[in-house]
Amino acid sequence: MRPFLLLLFCAAGLSSAQPLPFTFAWLSDTHIGSIPGAEDLRASVRDINRIDSIAFVILSGDITEMGWNAEFELAKSILDSLTKPYYIVPGNHDTKWSESGNTKFSNVFGADRFVFDYGGFKFFGVHQGPIMRMGDGHFAPEDLRWVDSVLTNLEDDEQPLFFVTHYPLDSQIDNWHEMTQRLKRHNTQAVLCGHGHRNKVLEFEGIPGIMGRSNLHTVREAGGYNIVGVRSDSMFFSERTPGITTKPGWYGISLGKRDYSEDTTTYPRPDFTINSKYPAVKSAWKIETGFTVASAPMVWGDHVVVGNGGGIVACYSAESGNMHWDFAAGAAVYSTPAVENLRVVFGSSDGNIYCLDIDDGKMIWKYKTGGAVVACPTISKGVVYIGSSDGKFRALNLSNGRLRWQFSGVGAFVETKPLVYRNKVVFGAWDSFLYGLNIEDGSLSWKWSNGNAGRGFSPAACWPVASDGRVFIVAPDRAMTSIDISTGQELWRTKAHQVREAIGISEDGSRVYAKCMNDTLFAFSSTSSTAELVWATHCGYGYDIDPSMPMEKDGTVFFGHKNGTVFALDSKTGVIRWQHKLGNTIVNTVSPIDSNRVVATDFDGRIVLIENKPEE
């Protein structure tokens, strides 16, 4: 296609006046950054360009392996050699390990959603994260609003629709029902998804679903994609091996008017009956921010400070939930704030570290870094310690934001909250290392690795804790490790308990808490020379890899769950005191006020004060 015609074609938004039948190419799970990713994508792009009948290309997520900036740039350079328009959404690999705080994808590709008409059909796509955290997929509040705008502005209520996302539209997405309910109110023909790396026929509450294969050739002789043929009454899927062969019509569906209102099947929905078991536990107040919240709340006196994916940091009354003030950063805020001396500090995906007056929200200073700041600050004795995505870790004066020192040897982005303990600053990064810096000048004291070369196993998401001269961490390699704070030497290490990225410590320093990937919260002795269990409580939460840190206050240890439940346990015995389900999505690290009150945030953008009022 000649360049000026291609430009006209794109600008017209692939008008619905285009004739039937038509053909499009469907790519998924290209994983640029993995060894075969770029090679396989180039082969598919060359092949698509040779097939004149292909009108456009759809990509259904996991464009990159780790969601890093250079991977997006490489993917864009390859895809821009297509002579057809392409439409693209991210997948979980693009959003979980995002050094840009999920800004790079939209900056490179123009958006992380799409909508266009072709041949009388409307195609629209949106991703489901999860953003910056391990856990189930989740449709963000801001993305659901966008979907609503698409569906409420249809020129024809009976227009046939195709929806594209990355995860299958089932319980792998914690609020799958929010999307199925919307799609079933319209003439949805099919849902196209990736993630499973194979061609597969699915069904989502009566809606036809098709999973597309990965473009990778890791388990095959060659990479490949699907060619989809659309007629007025049918759609056919053919698997294409670039330059070699097409497997015609491995699946087909009929197209036409669909009326999902006739379906009387009862489908699963989130279950909140656990709340009736603990009637004394209530939400004292609740704020709906309307944007993804992927950070913990900061509680200080009557102040609760929370940042969200819309770039707004707001302060609420801990007593009433009324807003004290709000502040607009330049991009999303996934950094949990810290406070000292009436000053609150946090980072933003816009690359700045901000310091605000906690009473009125006015900016006192900001410090510009060379990358997004998704890390959490720790403030100690008038100094702010915080990592970034530019390969640097910094110490800043709380009073004026001036740099005291910086360590420039970090090999990947930092998202954790650093530990300040015994003249050391300890933090992990997504380069597979845990760093111990000297607090006075930021020089490297020691550097530790768990021995896994894969960066996905880095001790980077947990917030390290310490007691009795020892640092304790957990990581995606499912091991818990005790490290000497002075030397960085391992004291003990165990994989016996299938822990992952959630760790905490008792207020008196005697117990270290770690959340198991299946059902159990463990308490270990902080002084033992081995991984000595103090107690283990089967909480019954199922499979959970959400890095929500256990937090103790006044004899109660609290933690959140990936499907919306907050647990409260006796810190000495591990006995469950209560549970309370807020929603059905990831609960971030909570902030206890006392033994009966805790502030929680979740991916639906809620900020909630949960209060236990036991009978006198």
Side-chain angles (χ1 to χ4, degrees), residues 62-80:
D62 276 5
I63 309 306
T64 65
E65 179 67 8
M66 292 291 287
W68 291 2
N69 296 346
E71 294 175 345
F72 287 131
E73 295 284 1
L74 177 56
K76 177 72 158 51
S77 69
I78 297 170
L79 290 170
D80 279 356

Side-chain angles (χ1 to χ4, degrees), residues 442-465:
S443 59
L444 181 65
S445 175
W446 50 261
K447 182 176 176 180
W448 177 89
S449 171
N450 59 24
N452 290 290
R455 292 184 172 186
F457 292 105
S458 300
C462 76
W463 296 359
V465 296

Side-chain angles (χ1 to χ4, degrees), residues 233-548:
D233 61 352
S234 57
M235 170 184 265
F236 293 94
F237 297 82
S238 301
E239 184 174 357
R240 174 71 178 170
T241 303
I244 300 175
T245 186
T246 301
K247 179 183 176 182
W250 66 264
Y251 184 60
I253 61 172
S254 61
L255 304 178
K257 181 68 176 77
R258 304 201 197 283
D259 185 357
Y260 297 101
S261 66
E262 297 177 357
D263 185 358
T264 59
T265 306
T266 300
Y267 295 103
R269 289 294 182 264
D271 182 2
F272 289 80
T273 56
I274 189 65
N275 291 349
S276 63
K277 185 177 178 180
Y278 302 96
V281 182
K282 304 285 187 182
S283 295
W285 52 257
K286 181 189 297 183
I287 307 296
E288 302 278 359
T289 68
F291 289 91
T292 298
V293 174
S295 61
M298 187 283 301
V299 177
W300 187 82
D302 189 45
H303 300 77
V304 177
V305 183
V306 179
N308 66 41
I312 302 299
V313 175
C315 180
Y316 305 90
S317 166
E319 185 66 30
S320 66
N322 294 330
M323 183 185 287
H324 290 314
W325 50 260
D326 61 0
F327 174 86
V333 174
Y334 302 122
S335 170
T336 296
V339 65
E340 186 178 279
N341 295 337
L342 301 176
R343 299 185 174 199
V344 59
V345 179
F346 59 90
S348 169
S349 298
D350 67 7
N352 288 303
I353 301 164
Y354 292 90
C355 177
L356 312 181
D357 187 300
I358 197 163
D359 285 329
D360 58 17
K362 298 290 178 62
M363 187 171 70
I364 299 172
W365 54 259
K366 69 177 179 179
Y367 184 96
K368 182 67 175 175
T369 74
V373 184
V374 298
C376 310
T378 293
I379 307 175
S380 178
K381 298 179 181 178
V383 182
V384 178
Y385 302 95
I386 187 169
S388 182
S389 296
D390 59 0
K392 297 179 174 63
F393 187 93
R394 296 175 173 86
L396 307 175
N397 287 326
L398 177 62
S399 60
N400 54 25
R402 291 176 184 166
L403 183 70
R404 292 173 66 95
W405 54 253
Q406 72 179 18
F407 174 73
S408 301
V410 187
F413 79 98
V414 178
E415 71 168 88
T416 188
K417 181 182 179 70
L419 168 71
V420 176
Y421 181 67
R422 292 198 178 179
N423 296 317
K424 296 288 190 297
V425 183
V426 180
F427 64 94
W430 286 109
D431 59 359
S432 79
F433 292 105
L434 186 77
Y435 294 86
L437 306 184
N438 293 309
I439 200 168
E440 289 301 321
D441 58 8
S443 59
L444 181 65
S445 175
W446 50 261
K447 182 176 176 180
W448 177 89
S449 171
N450 59 24
N452 290 290
R455 292 184 172 186
F457 292 105
S458 300
C462 76
W463 296 359
V465 296
S467 182
D468 195 40
R470 307 165 186 208
V471 176
F472 301 91
I473 59 166
V474 289
D477 64 350
R478 307 181 183 188
M480 182 173 178
T481 308
S482 173
I483 298 169
D484 185 282
I485 185 65
S486 298
T487 65
Q489 296 299 306
E490 281 182 25
L491 299 175
W492 55 256
R493 177 172 167 81
T494 178
K495 289 189 175 182
H497 305 287
Q498 294 290 288
V499 294
R500 189 176 171 98
E501 292 175 302
I503 194 167
I505 195 159
S506 63
E507 287 187 293
D508 65 6
S510 67
R511 295 175 302 280
V512 179
Y513 307 114
K515 187 172 68 174
C516 173
M517 293 169 60
N518 289 283
D519 292 315
T520 305
L521 185 71
F522 296 104
F524 298 86
S525 168
S526 65
T527 59
S528 174
S529 59
T530 61
E532 178 186 329
L533 273 175
V534 177
W535 51 256
T537 299
H538 185 278
C539 299
Y541 52 72
Y543 179 76
D544 187 9
I545 55 176
D546 161 34
S548 175

Side-chain angles (χ1 to χ4, degrees), residues 57-121:
V57 182
I58 283 175
L59 294 96
S60 56
D62 276 5
I63 309 306
T64 65
E65 179 67 8
M66 292 291 287
W68 291 2
N69 296 346
E71 294 175 345
F72 287 131
E73 295 284 1
L74 177 56
K76 177 72 158 51
S77 69
I78 297 170
L79 290 170
D80 279 356
S81 63
L82 280 166
T83 58
K84 333 276 183 175
Y86 65 90
Y87 298 87
I88 188 168
V89 294
N92 58 300
H93 276 251
D94 304 310
T95 60
K96 162 62 188 85
W97 296 280
S98 177
E99 63 181 331
S100 71
N102 286 281
T103 61
K104 188 67 173 181
F105 190 98
S106 292
N107 288 341
V108 168
F109 294 109
D112 58 5
R113 317 159 174 153
F114 67 77
V115 58
F116 66 92
D117 289 352
Y118 197 92
F121 300 90

